[in-house]
Amino acid sequence: MKNPLPKKQDAPQEIRWHIGENAAAVSAEACRRILLAAEEAIAARGWFRMVLAGGNTPEATYELLAEGAAAWSRWEIFFSDERCLPRGDRRRNSVMARRAWLDRASFPPENIHPIPGELGAMEAARRYAIQVEPALPFDLVLLGLGEDGHTASLFPGHTHPEGDLVHPVFDAPKPPAERVTLGVAALSSTRHLLVLVCGETKRQAVAAWRRGADLPIRHIRPPGPLDVLADRPAAGDR
Ligand code: 6PG
């Protein structure tokens, strides 16, 4: 698929819900899907370009990936968003991903593209857009869903210039307030999109999404379907 264009905003969002028994089942399925997508991408194009989600949910998936073997030298890693904190700060999404996975596998350092959040949101967003543009379309974007329905650092009710690939954020309701996030256009430019949602605390956000609430995730429209891996507590299944 040469540089697939995101779906039009009026096209129905195609979502495939996959409900796992618990968070461990979700992480195992996410790991399986990521490795499969990587194999396909590397066989077809020689590279696998993946965007990592932040927060806590994906950590178990990253740990499973670290335990496996893959052609890491053919993987290129980007981040969906980053918190504007000093380098090495454990609250940064890239620090979590390195601890759980990236520093435990043989990635060539140049294959990992952290968002330079330590430079402040404006400068980091400007620089990251220059790195993201030539990497599009991604092969797989991994996202989470916050309790308030945010995705990456795109928050409900917050607007951003549609044409920008990367946005500075200064008023994030989830601390820290200052962040950098890939925008809808960049997150939609992907062959696979996987959303991981686990835990009772996400039930309302999942229900709102399913009800058609105007959440940022609804505006992310890759050419193909969104695959949502949720555990029973998040999906509202008893
Ligand atoms: C962040 C993340 C954010 C995260 C959701 C879900 O910086 O916090 O990028 O978008 O994916 O908030 O977070 P949990 O997985 O911790 O619930």
PDB file of all heavy atoms in Angstrom, residues 52-59 80-83 91-93 96 142-148 150-155 174-176 179-181 196-198 201-202, ligand 1:
ATOM      1  N   LEU A  52       5.166   3.753  19.341  1.00  0.00           N
ATOM      2  CA  LEU A  52       4.875   3.193  20.660  1.00  0.00           C
ATOM      3  C   LEU A  52       3.899   4.070  21.428  1.00  0.00           C
ATOM      4  O   LEU A  52       3.997   5.302  21.395  1.00  0.00           O
ATOM      5  CB  LEU A  52       6.163   3.057  21.486  1.00  0.00           C
ATOM      6  CG  LEU A  52       7.289   2.191  20.906  1.00  0.00           C
ATOM      7  CD1 LEU A  52       8.345   1.931  21.974  1.00  0.00           C
ATOM      8  CD2 LEU A  52       6.770   0.910  20.311  1.00  0.00           C
ATOM      9  N   ALA A  53       2.997   3.427  22.152  1.00  0.00           N
ATOM     10  CA  ALA A  53       2.095   4.139  23.061  1.00  0.00           C
ATOM     11  C   ALA A  53       2.832   4.392  24.376  1.00  0.00           C
ATOM     12  O   ALA A  53       3.774   3.684  24.730  1.00  0.00           O
ATOM     13  CB  ALA A  53       0.853   3.294  23.328  1.00  0.00           C
ATOM     14  N   GLY A  54       2.344   5.382  25.095  1.00  0.00           N
ATOM     15  CA  GLY A  54       2.901   5.672  26.414  1.00  0.00           C
ATOM     16  C   GLY A  54       1.965   5.180  27.504  1.00  0.00           C
ATOM     17  O   GLY A  54       1.074   4.369  27.264  1.00  0.00           O
ATOM     18  N   GLY A  55       2.152   5.682  28.706  1.00  0.00           N
ATOM     19  CA  GLY A  55       1.315   5.252  29.834  1.00  0.00           C
ATOM     20  C   GLY A  55       1.779   3.905  30.367  1.00  0.00           C
ATOM     21  O   GLY A  55       2.855   3.398  30.037  1.00  0.00           O
ATOM     22  N   ASN A  56       0.921   3.291  31.186  1.00  0.00           N
ATOM     23  CA  ASN A  56       1.282   2.019  31.841  1.00  0.00           C
ATOM     24  C   ASN A  56       0.841   0.777  31.065  1.00  0.00           C
ATOM     25  O   ASN A  56       1.501  -0.245  31.086  1.00  0.00           O
ATOM     26  CB  ASN A  56       0.649   1.971  33.238  1.00  0.00           C
ATOM     27  CG  ASN A  56       1.127   3.144  34.090  1.00  0.00           C
ATOM     28  OD1 ASN A  56       2.328   3.440  34.125  1.00  0.00           O
ATOM     29  ND2 ASN A  56       0.194   3.850  34.720  1.00  0.00           N
ATOM     30  N   THR A  57      -0.303   0.864  30.394  1.00  0.00           N
ATOM     31  CA  THR A  57      -0.876  -0.345  29.776  1.00  0.00           C
ATOM     32  C   THR A  57       0.097  -1.109  28.878  1.00  0.00           C
ATOM     33  O   THR A  57       0.173  -2.338  28.963  1.00  0.00           O
ATOM     34  CB  THR A  57      -2.160   0.008  29.006  1.00  0.00           C
ATOM     35  OG1 THR A  57      -3.083   0.621  29.903  1.00  0.00           O
ATOM     36  CG2 THR A  57      -2.770  -1.223  28.348  1.00  0.00           C
ATOM     37  N   PRO A  58       0.845  -0.431  27.994  1.00  0.00           N
ATOM     38  CA  PRO A  58       1.668  -1.196  27.046  1.00  0.00           C
ATOM     39  C   PRO A  58       2.930  -1.803  27.657  1.00  0.00           C
ATOM     40  O   PRO A  58       3.618  -2.582  26.995  1.00  0.00           O
ATOM     41  CB  PRO A  58       2.033  -0.171  25.978  1.00  0.00           C
ATOM     42  CG  PRO A  58       1.932   1.151  26.632  1.00  0.00           C
ATOM     43  CD  PRO A  58       0.931   1.022  27.752  1.00  0.00           C
ATOM     44  N   GLU A  59       3.241  -1.446  28.910  1.00  0.00           N
ATOM     45  CA  GLU A  59       4.524  -1.908  29.494  1.00  0.00           C
ATOM     46  C   GLU A  59       4.658  -3.429  29.446  1.00  0.00           C
ATOM     47  O   GLU A  59       5.709  -3.968  29.073  1.00  0.00           O
ATOM     48  CB  GLU A  59       4.667  -1.395  30.931  1.00  0.00           C
ATOM     49  CG  GLU A  59       6.042  -1.683  31.522  1.00  0.00           C
ATOM     50  CD  GLU A  59       6.322  -0.871  32.791  1.00  0.00           C
ATOM     51  OE1 GLU A  59       5.430  -0.119  33.257  1.00  0.00           O
ATOM     52  OE2 GLU A  59       7.450  -0.987  33.304  1.00  0.00           O
ATOM     53  N   SER A  80       4.239   7.909  20.179  1.00  0.00           N
ATOM     54  CA  SER A  80       2.981   8.623  19.901  1.00  0.00           C
ATOM     55  C   SER A  80       2.974   9.982  20.595  1.00  0.00           C
ATOM     56  O   SER A  80       2.370  10.946  20.116  1.00  0.00           O
ATOM     57  CB  SER A  80       1.790   7.789  20.411  1.00  0.00           C
ATOM     58  OG  SER A  80       1.846   7.654  21.837  1.00  0.00           O
ATOM     59  N   ASP A  81       3.619  10.031  21.743  1.00  0.00           N
ATOM     60  CA  ASP A  81       3.665  11.298  22.482  1.00  0.00           C
ATOM     61  C   ASP A  81       4.725  11.212  23.572  1.00  0.00           C
ATOM     62  O   ASP A  81       5.226  10.141  23.877  1.00  0.00           O
ATOM     63  CB  ASP A  81       2.286  11.625  23.093  1.00  0.00           C
ATOM     64  CG  ASP A  81       1.820  10.580  24.100  1.00  0.00           C
ATOM     65  OD1 ASP A  81       2.072   9.376  23.882  1.00  0.00           O
ATOM     66  OD2 ASP A  81       1.216  10.967  25.099  1.00  0.00           O
ATOM     67  N   GLU A  82       5.053  12.352  24.100  1.00  0.00           N
ATOM     68  CA  GLU A  82       6.075  12.384  25.165  1.00  0.00           C
ATOM     69  C   GLU A  82       5.740  13.510  26.140  1.00  0.00           C
ATOM     70  O   GLU A  82       5.178  14.537  25.755  1.00  0.00           O
ATOM     71  CB  GLU A  82       7.463  12.579  24.588  1.00  0.00           C
ATOM     72  CG  GLU A  82       8.593  12.494  25.616  1.00  0.00           C
ATOM     73  CD  GLU A  82       8.601  11.190  26.403  1.00  0.00           C
ATOM     74  OE1 GLU A  82       7.748  11.029  27.322  1.00  0.00           O
ATOM     75  OE2 GLU A  82       9.442  10.332  26.111  1.00  0.00           O
ATOM     76  N   ARG A  83       6.095  13.294  27.352  1.00  0.00           N
ATOM     77  CA  ARG A  83       5.897  14.301  28.385  1.00  0.00           C
ATOM     78  C   ARG A  83       7.150  15.189  28.415  1.00  0.00           C
ATOM     79  O   ARG A  83       8.267  14.676  28.332  1.00  0.00           O
ATOM     80  CB  ARG A  83       5.668  13.585  29.711  1.00  0.00           C
ATOM     81  CG  ARG A  83       4.473  12.614  29.605  1.00  0.00           C
ATOM     82  CD  ARG A  83       4.520  11.565  30.660  1.00  0.00           C
ATOM     83  NE  ARG A  83       3.418  10.607  30.507  1.00  0.00           N
ATOM     84  CZ  ARG A  83       3.036   9.763  31.463  1.00  0.00           C
ATOM     85  NH1 ARG A  83       3.667   9.759  32.625  1.00  0.00           N
ATOM     86  NH2 ARG A  83       2.040   8.928  31.274  1.00  0.00           N
ATOM     87  N   ARG A  91       9.159   9.305  34.421  1.00  0.00           N
ATOM     88  CA  ARG A  91       7.755   9.515  34.022  1.00  0.00           C
ATOM     89  C   ARG A  91       7.620   9.672  32.498  1.00  0.00           C
ATOM     90  O   ARG A  91       6.508   9.750  31.969  1.00  0.00           O
ATOM     91  CB  ARG A  91       7.201  10.753  34.736  1.00  0.00           C
ATOM     92  CG  ARG A  91       7.066  10.603  36.244  1.00  0.00           C
ATOM     93  CD  ARG A  91       6.812  11.943  36.903  1.00  0.00           C
ATOM     94  NE  ARG A  91       8.009  12.805  36.784  1.00  0.00           N
ATOM     95  CZ  ARG A  91       8.000  14.102  37.107  1.00  0.00           C
ATOM     96  NH1 ARG A  91       6.885  14.687  37.533  1.00  0.00           N
ATOM     97  NH2 ARG A  91       9.110  14.825  36.991  1.00  0.00           N
ATOM     98  N   ARG A  92       8.759   9.724  31.826  1.00  0.00           N
ATOM     99  CA  ARG A  92       8.709   9.873  30.355  1.00  0.00           C
ATOM    100  C   ARG A  92       8.335   8.548  29.690  1.00  0.00           C
ATOM    101  O   ARG A  92       8.772   7.483  30.098  1.00  0.00           O
ATOM    102  CB  ARG A  92      10.066  10.351  29.830  1.00  0.00           C
ATOM    103  CG  ARG A  92      10.307  11.829  30.066  1.00  0.00           C
ATOM    104  CD  ARG A  92      11.637  12.296  29.541  1.00  0.00           C
ATOM    105  NE  ARG A  92      11.828  12.105  28.121  1.00  0.00           N
ATOM    106  CZ  ARG A  92      12.482  12.996  27.343  1.00  0.00           C
ATOM    107  NH1 ARG A  92      12.941  14.122  27.876  1.00  0.00           N
ATOM    108  NH2 ARG A  92      12.669  12.761  26.066  1.00  0.00           N
ATOM    109  N   ASN A  93       7.526   8.655  28.639  1.00  0.00           N
ATOM    110  CA  ASN A  93       7.108   7.431  27.931  1.00  0.00           C
ATOM    111  C   ASN A  93       8.305   6.700  27.321  1.00  0.00           C
ATOM    112  O   ASN A  93       8.355   5.466  27.314  1.00  0.00           O
ATOM    113  CB  ASN A  93       6.082   7.781  26.844  1.00  0.00           C
ATOM    114  CG  ASN A  93       4.772   8.262  27.457  1.00  0.00           C
ATOM    115  OD1 ASN A  93       4.373   7.796  28.528  1.00  0.00           O
ATOM    116  ND2 ASN A  93       4.117   9.210  26.811  1.00  0.00           N
ATOM    117  N   MET A  96      10.148   4.651  29.973  1.00  0.00           N
ATOM    118  CA  MET A  96       9.444   3.387  30.288  1.00  0.00           C
ATOM    119  C   MET A  96       9.714   2.365  29.190  1.00  0.00           C
ATOM    120  O   MET A  96      10.049   1.204  29.471  1.00  0.00           O
ATOM    121  CB  MET A  96       7.938   3.665  30.402  1.00  0.00           C
ATOM    122  CG  MET A  96       7.080   2.432  30.696  1.00  0.00           C
ATOM    123  SD  MET A  96       6.639   1.443  29.236  1.00  0.00           S
ATOM    124  CE  MET A  96       5.313   2.426  28.558  1.00  0.00           C
ATOM    125  N   LEU A 142       0.636   1.947  17.867  1.00  0.00           N
ATOM    126  CA  LEU A 142       0.079   1.398  19.096  1.00  0.00           C
ATOM    127  C   LEU A 142      -0.409   2.566  19.938  1.00  0.00           C
ATOM    128  O   LEU A 142       0.328   3.547  20.128  1.00  0.00           O
ATOM    129  CB  LEU A 142       1.171   0.634  19.864  1.00  0.00           C
ATOM    130  CG  LEU A 142       0.753  -0.187  21.071  1.00  0.00           C
ATOM    131  CD1 LEU A 142      -0.149  -1.349  20.650  1.00  0.00           C
ATOM    132  CD2 LEU A 142       1.994  -0.729  21.790  1.00  0.00           C
ATOM    133  N   LEU A 143      -1.648   2.494  20.409  1.00  0.00           N
ATOM    134  CA  LEU A 143      -2.213   3.590  21.204  1.00  0.00           C
ATOM    135  C   LEU A 143      -2.872   3.051  22.458  1.00  0.00           C
ATOM    136  O   LEU A 143      -3.252   1.874  22.529  1.00  0.00           O
ATOM    137  CB  LEU A 143      -3.256   4.362  20.374  1.00  0.00           C
ATOM    138  CG  LEU A 143      -2.712   5.195  19.216  1.00  0.00           C
ATOM    139  CD1 LEU A 143      -3.853   5.764  18.382  1.00  0.00           C
ATOM    140  CD2 LEU A 143      -1.810   6.313  19.736  1.00  0.00           C
ATOM    141  N   GLY A 144      -3.061   3.932  23.430  1.00  0.00           N
ATOM    142  CA  GLY A 144      -3.837   3.601  24.623  1.00  0.00           C
ATOM    143  C   GLY A 144      -5.069   4.494  24.642  1.00  0.00           C
ATOM    144  O   GLY A 144      -5.326   5.265  23.712  1.00  0.00           O
ATOM    145  N   LEU A 145      -5.841   4.371  25.704  1.00  0.00           N
ATOM    146  CA  LEU A 145      -7.028   5.213  25.885  1.00  0.00           C
ATOM    147  C   LEU A 145      -7.076   5.624  27.352  1.00  0.00           C
ATOM    148  O   LEU A 145      -7.030   4.761  28.242  1.00  0.00           O
ATOM    149  CB  LEU A 145      -8.305   4.430  25.525  1.00  0.00           C
ATOM    150  CG  LEU A 145      -9.620   5.206  25.500  1.00  0.00           C
ATOM    151  CD1 LEU A 145      -9.640   6.191  24.322  1.00  0.00           C
ATOM    152  CD2 LEU A 145     -10.819   4.255  25.399  1.00  0.00           C
ATOM    153  N   GLY A 146      -7.097   6.926  27.586  1.00  0.00           N
ATOM    154  CA  GLY A 146      -7.135   7.391  28.971  1.00  0.00           C
ATOM    155  C   GLY A 146      -8.542   7.300  29.546  1.00  0.00           C
ATOM    156  O   GLY A 146      -9.530   7.153  28.820  1.00  0.00           O
ATOM    157  N   GLU A 147      -8.630   7.411  30.879  1.00  0.00           N
ATOM    158  CA  GLU A 147      -9.950   7.333  31.535  1.00  0.00           C
ATOM    159  C   GLU A 147     -10.881   8.441  31.037  1.00  0.00           C
ATOM    160  O   GLU A 147     -12.083   8.281  30.992  1.00  0.00           O
ATOM    161  CB  GLU A 147      -9.764   7.453  33.058  1.00  0.00           C
ATOM    162  CG  GLU A 147      -9.038   6.258  33.645  1.00  0.00           C
ATOM    163  CD  GLU A 147      -8.587   6.507  35.081  1.00  0.00           C
ATOM    164  OE1 GLU A 147      -9.155   7.415  35.730  1.00  0.00           O
ATOM    165  OE2 GLU A 147      -7.665   5.800  35.526  1.00  0.00           O
ATOM    166  N   ASP A 148     -10.291   9.564  30.640  1.00  0.00           N
ATOM    167  CA  ASP A 148     -11.121  10.693  30.144  1.00  0.00           C
ATOM    168  C   ASP A 148     -11.311  10.604  28.637  1.00  0.00           C
ATOM    169  O   ASP A 148     -11.875  11.485  28.025  1.00  0.00           O
ATOM    170  CB  ASP A 148     -10.459  12.033  30.499  1.00  0.00           C
ATOM    171  CG  ASP A 148      -9.095  12.172  29.816  1.00  0.00           C
ATOM    172  OD1 ASP A 148      -8.627  11.183  29.189  1.00  0.00           O
ATOM    173  OD2 ASP A 148      -8.492  13.269  29.920  1.00  0.00           O
ATOM    174  N   HIS A 150      -8.778  10.361  26.389  1.00  0.00           N
ATOM    175  CA  HIS A 150      -7.677  10.887  25.551  1.00  0.00           C
ATOM    176  C   HIS A 150      -6.888   9.728  24.946  1.00  0.00           C
ATOM    177  O   HIS A 150      -6.926   8.596  25.426  1.00  0.00           O
ATOM    178  CB  HIS A 150      -6.767  11.830  26.341  1.00  0.00           C
ATOM    179  CG  HIS A 150      -5.834  11.171  27.289  1.00  0.00           C
ATOM    180  ND1 HIS A 150      -6.136  10.938  28.610  1.00  0.00           N
ATOM    181  CD2 HIS A 150      -4.596  10.670  27.097  1.00  0.00           C
ATOM    182  CE1 HIS A 150      -5.108  10.349  29.196  1.00  0.00           C
ATOM    183  NE2 HIS A 150      -4.160  10.156  28.297  1.00  0.00           N
ATOM    184  N   THR A 151      -6.200  10.071  23.872  1.00  0.00           N
ATOM    185  CA  THR A 151      -5.325   9.116  23.171  1.00  0.00           C
ATOM    186  C   THR A 151      -4.026   9.828  22.854  1.00  0.00           C
ATOM    187  O   THR A 151      -4.077  11.007  22.444  1.00  0.00           O
ATOM    188  CB  THR A 151      -6.010   8.664  21.865  1.00  0.00           C
ATOM    189  OG1 THR A 151      -7.151   7.885  22.188  1.00  0.00           O
ATOM    190  CG2 THR A 151      -5.089   7.870  20.985  1.00  0.00           C
ATOM    191  N   ALA A 152      -2.924   9.178  23.056  1.00  0.00           N
ATOM    192  CA  ALA A 152      -1.604   9.845  22.984  1.00  0.00           C
ATOM    193  C   ALA A 152      -1.713  11.066  23.896  1.00  0.00           C
ATOM    194  O   ALA A 152      -2.165  10.913  25.033  1.00  0.00           O
ATOM    195  CB  ALA A 152      -1.241  10.164  21.546  1.00  0.00           C
ATOM    196  N   SER A 153      -1.392  12.256  23.399  1.00  0.00           N
ATOM    197  CA  SER A 153      -1.676  13.442  24.229  1.00  0.00           C
ATOM    198  C   SER A 153      -2.681  14.341  23.519  1.00  0.00           C
ATOM    199  O   SER A 153      -2.595  15.577  23.542  1.00  0.00           O
ATOM    200  CB  SER A 153      -0.372  14.194  24.552  1.00  0.00           C
ATOM    201  OG  SER A 153       0.389  13.450  25.497  1.00  0.00           O
ATOM    202  N   LEU A 154      -3.629  13.672  22.854  1.00  0.00           N
ATOM    203  CA  LEU A 154      -4.779  14.358  22.248  1.00  0.00           C
ATOM    204  C   LEU A 154      -5.937  14.207  23.232  1.00  0.00           C
ATOM    205  O   LEU A 154      -6.387  13.100  23.505  1.00  0.00           O
ATOM    206  CB  LEU A 154      -5.130  13.717  20.901  1.00  0.00           C
ATOM    207  CG  LEU A 154      -4.019  13.728  19.826  1.00  0.00           C
ATOM    208  CD1 LEU A 154      -4.417  12.835  18.667  1.00  0.00           C
ATOM    209  CD2 LEU A 154      -3.744  15.162  19.351  1.00  0.00           C
ATOM    210  N   PHE A 155      -6.403  15.334  23.769  1.00  0.00           N
ATOM    211  CA  PHE A 155      -7.408  15.294  24.832  1.00  0.00           C
ATOM    212  C   PHE A 155      -8.776  15.748  24.328  1.00  0.00           C
ATOM    213  O   PHE A 155      -8.856  16.655  23.483  1.00  0.00           O
ATOM    214  CB  PHE A 155      -6.942  16.171  25.997  1.00  0.00           C
ATOM    215  CG  PHE A 155      -5.771  15.575  26.745  1.00  0.00           C
ATOM    216  CD1 PHE A 155      -4.470  15.817  26.313  1.00  0.00           C
ATOM    217  CD2 PHE A 155      -5.974  14.747  27.841  1.00  0.00           C
ATOM    218  CE1 PHE A 155      -3.378  15.236  26.977  1.00  0.00           C
ATOM    219  CE2 PHE A 155      -4.900  14.170  28.501  1.00  0.00           C
ATOM    220  CZ  PHE A 155      -3.597  14.414  28.063  1.00  0.00           C
ATOM    221  N   LYS A 174      -3.920  15.736  32.043  1.00  0.00           N
ATOM    222  CA  LYS A 174      -3.176  14.675  32.745  1.00  0.00           C
ATOM    223  C   LYS A 174      -1.731  15.162  32.885  1.00  0.00           C
ATOM    224  O   LYS A 174      -1.074  15.416  31.883  1.00  0.00           O
ATOM    225  CB  LYS A 174      -3.253  13.367  31.950  1.00  0.00           C
ATOM    226  CG  LYS A 174      -2.381  12.239  32.522  1.00  0.00           C
ATOM    227  CD  LYS A 174      -2.506  10.955  31.716  1.00  0.00           C
ATOM    228  CE  LYS A 174      -1.630   9.841  32.293  1.00  0.00           C
ATOM    229  NZ  LYS A 174      -1.714   8.600  31.482  1.00  0.00           N
ATOM    230  N   PRO A 175      -1.242  15.327  34.092  1.00  0.00           N
ATOM    231  CA  PRO A 175       0.112  15.864  34.287  1.00  0.00           C
ATOM    232  C   PRO A 175       1.166  14.995  33.616  1.00  0.00           C
ATOM    233  O   PRO A 175       0.972  13.778  33.527  1.00  0.00           O
ATOM    234  CB  PRO A 175       0.299  15.850  35.813  1.00  0.00           C
ATOM    235  CG  PRO A 175      -1.037  15.610  36.389  1.00  0.00           C
ATOM    236  CD  PRO A 175      -1.894  14.976  35.364  1.00  0.00           C
ATOM    237  N   PRO A 176       2.251  15.580  33.119  1.00  0.00           N
ATOM    238  CA  PRO A 176       2.508  17.009  33.107  1.00  0.00           C
ATOM    239  C   PRO A 176       1.716  17.722  32.010  1.00  0.00           C
ATOM    240  O   PRO A 176       1.379  17.121  30.982  1.00  0.00           O
ATOM    241  CB  PRO A 176       4.011  17.078  32.826  1.00  0.00           C
ATOM    242  CG  PRO A 176       4.253  15.909  31.929  1.00  0.00           C
ATOM    243  CD  PRO A 176       3.337  14.826  32.441  1.00  0.00           C
ATOM    244  N   ARG A 179       3.394  18.695  26.893  1.00  0.00           N
ATOM    245  CA  ARG A 179       3.671  17.430  26.187  1.00  0.00           C
ATOM    246  C   ARG A 179       3.869  17.698  24.700  1.00  0.00           C
ATOM    247  O   ARG A 179       3.676  18.803  24.228  1.00  0.00           O
ATOM    248  CB  ARG A 179       2.481  16.471  26.348  1.00  0.00           C
ATOM    249  CG  ARG A 179       2.215  16.004  27.754  1.00  0.00           C
ATOM    250  CD  ARG A 179       0.771  15.538  27.945  1.00  0.00           C
ATOM    251  NE  ARG A 179       0.614  14.819  29.218  1.00  0.00           N
ATOM    252  CZ  ARG A 179       0.499  13.488  29.303  1.00  0.00           C
ATOM    253  NH1 ARG A 179       0.557  12.761  28.211  1.00  0.00           N
ATOM    254  NH2 ARG A 179       0.347  12.883  30.463  1.00  0.00           N
ATOM    255  N   VAL A 180       4.228  16.631  24.005  1.00  0.00           N
ATOM    256  CA  VAL A 180       4.280  16.669  22.533  1.00  0.00           C
ATOM    257  C   VAL A 180       3.522  15.440  22.053  1.00  0.00           C
ATOM    258  O   VAL A 180       3.661  14.361  22.647  1.00  0.00           O
ATOM    259  CB  VAL A 180       5.739  16.603  22.031  1.00  0.00           C
ATOM    260  CG1 VAL A 180       5.780  16.647  20.496  1.00  0.00           C
ATOM    261  CG2 VAL A 180       6.565  17.750  22.611  1.00  0.00           C
ATOM    262  N   THR A 181       2.719  15.596  21.014  1.00  0.00           N
ATOM    263  CA  THR A 181       1.945  14.454  20.551  1.00  0.00           C
ATOM    264  C   THR A 181       1.894  14.392  19.023  1.00  0.00           C
ATOM    265  O   THR A 181       1.839  15.445  18.356  1.00  0.00           O
ATOM    266  CB  THR A 181       0.507  14.495  21.105  1.00  0.00           C
ATOM    267  OG1 THR A 181      -0.178  13.286  20.754  1.00  0.00           O
ATOM    268  CG2 THR A 181      -0.291  15.692  20.575  1.00  0.00           C
ATOM    269  N   LEU A 196      -4.782  -0.555  22.877  1.00  0.00           N
ATOM    270  CA  LEU A 196      -4.818  -1.438  24.053  1.00  0.00           C
ATOM    271  C   LEU A 196      -5.563  -0.727  25.173  1.00  0.00           C
ATOM    272  O   LEU A 196      -5.234   0.406  25.528  1.00  0.00           O
ATOM    273  CB  LEU A 196      -3.391  -1.753  24.539  1.00  0.00           C
ATOM    274  CG  LEU A 196      -2.402  -2.325  23.522  1.00  0.00           C
ATOM    275  CD1 LEU A 196      -1.100  -2.725  24.236  1.00  0.00           C
ATOM    276  CD2 LEU A 196      -2.992  -3.483  22.754  1.00  0.00           C
ATOM    277  N   VAL A 197      -6.608  -1.392  25.701  1.00  0.00           N
ATOM    278  CA  VAL A 197      -7.388  -0.788  26.796  1.00  0.00           C
ATOM    279  C   VAL A 197      -7.652  -1.847  27.859  1.00  0.00           C
ATOM    280  O   VAL A 197      -8.286  -2.870  27.580  1.00  0.00           O
ATOM    281  CB  VAL A 197      -8.741  -0.250  26.301  1.00  0.00           C
ATOM    282  CG1 VAL A 197      -9.302   0.752  27.305  1.00  0.00           C
ATOM    283  CG2 VAL A 197      -8.649   0.387  24.930  1.00  0.00           C
ATOM    284  N   CYS A 198      -7.174  -1.613  29.057  1.00  0.00           N
ATOM    285  CA  CYS A 198      -7.339  -2.604  30.128  1.00  0.00           C
ATOM    286  C   CYS A 198      -7.804  -1.926  31.417  1.00  0.00           C
ATOM    287  O   CYS A 198      -7.391  -0.797  31.712  1.00  0.00           O
ATOM    288  CB  CYS A 198      -6.013  -3.309  30.417  1.00  0.00           C
ATOM    289  SG  CYS A 198      -5.446  -4.323  29.040  1.00  0.00           S
ATOM    290  N   THR A 201     -11.205   0.992  35.144  1.00  0.00           N
ATOM    291  CA  THR A 201     -11.229   2.472  35.101  1.00  0.00           C
ATOM    292  C   THR A 201     -11.443   2.990  33.676  1.00  0.00           C
ATOM    293  O   THR A 201     -11.711   4.160  33.472  1.00  0.00           O
ATOM    294  CB  THR A 201      -9.893   3.056  35.634  1.00  0.00           C
ATOM    295  OG1 THR A 201      -8.828   2.608  34.776  1.00  0.00           O
ATOM    296  CG2 THR A 201      -9.644   2.620  37.070  1.00  0.00           C
ATOM    297  N   LYS A 202     -11.294   2.103  32.682  1.00  0.00           N
ATOM    298  CA  LYS A 202     -11.464   2.569  31.290  1.00  0.00           C
ATOM    299  C   LYS A 202     -12.870   2.271  30.761  1.00  0.00           C
ATOM    300  O   LYS A 202     -13.179   2.578  29.608  1.00  0.00           O
ATOM    301  CB  LYS A 202     -10.433   1.852  30.389  1.00  0.00           C
ATOM    302  CG  LYS A 202      -9.005   2.018  30.834  1.00  0.00           C
ATOM    303  CD  LYS A 202      -8.578   3.481  30.791  1.00  0.00           C
ATOM    304  CE  LYS A 202      -7.166   3.645  31.307  1.00  0.00           C
ATOM    305  NZ  LYS A 202      -6.149   3.162  30.363  1.00  0.00           N
TER     306      LYS A 202
HETATM  307  C1  6PG B   1       0.564   9.296  28.479  1.00  0.00           C
HETATM  308  C2  6PG B   1       0.119   8.368  27.391  1.00  0.00           C
HETATM  309  C3  6PG B   1      -1.368   8.318  27.361  1.00  0.00           C
HETATM  310  C4  6PG B   1      -1.767   6.926  27.725  1.00  0.00           C
HETATM  311  C5  6PG B   1      -3.162   6.906  28.271  1.00  0.00           C
HETATM  312  C6  6PG B   1      -3.468   5.564  28.917  1.00  0.00           C
HETATM  313  O1  6PG B   1       1.527  10.043  28.278  1.00  0.00           O
HETATM  314  O2  6PG B   1      -0.042   9.237  29.538  1.00  0.00           O
HETATM  315  O3  6PG B   1       0.644   8.636  26.184  1.00  0.00           O
HETATM  316  O4  6PG B   1      -1.970   8.643  26.163  1.00  0.00           O
HETATM  317  O5  6PG B   1      -1.688   6.077  26.596  1.00  0.00           O
HETATM  318  O6  6PG B   1      -3.249   7.922  29.262  1.00  0.00           O
HETATM  319  O7  6PG B   1      -2.541   5.451  29.981  1.00  0.00           O
HETATM  320  P1  6PG B   1      -2.513   4.115  30.886  1.00  0.00           P
HETATM  321  O8  6PG B   1      -2.134   3.014  29.942  1.00  0.00           O
HETATM  322  O9  6PG B   1      -1.473   4.392  31.914  1.00  0.00           O
HETATM  323  O10 6PG B   1      -3.895   3.943  31.428  1.00  0.00           O
END
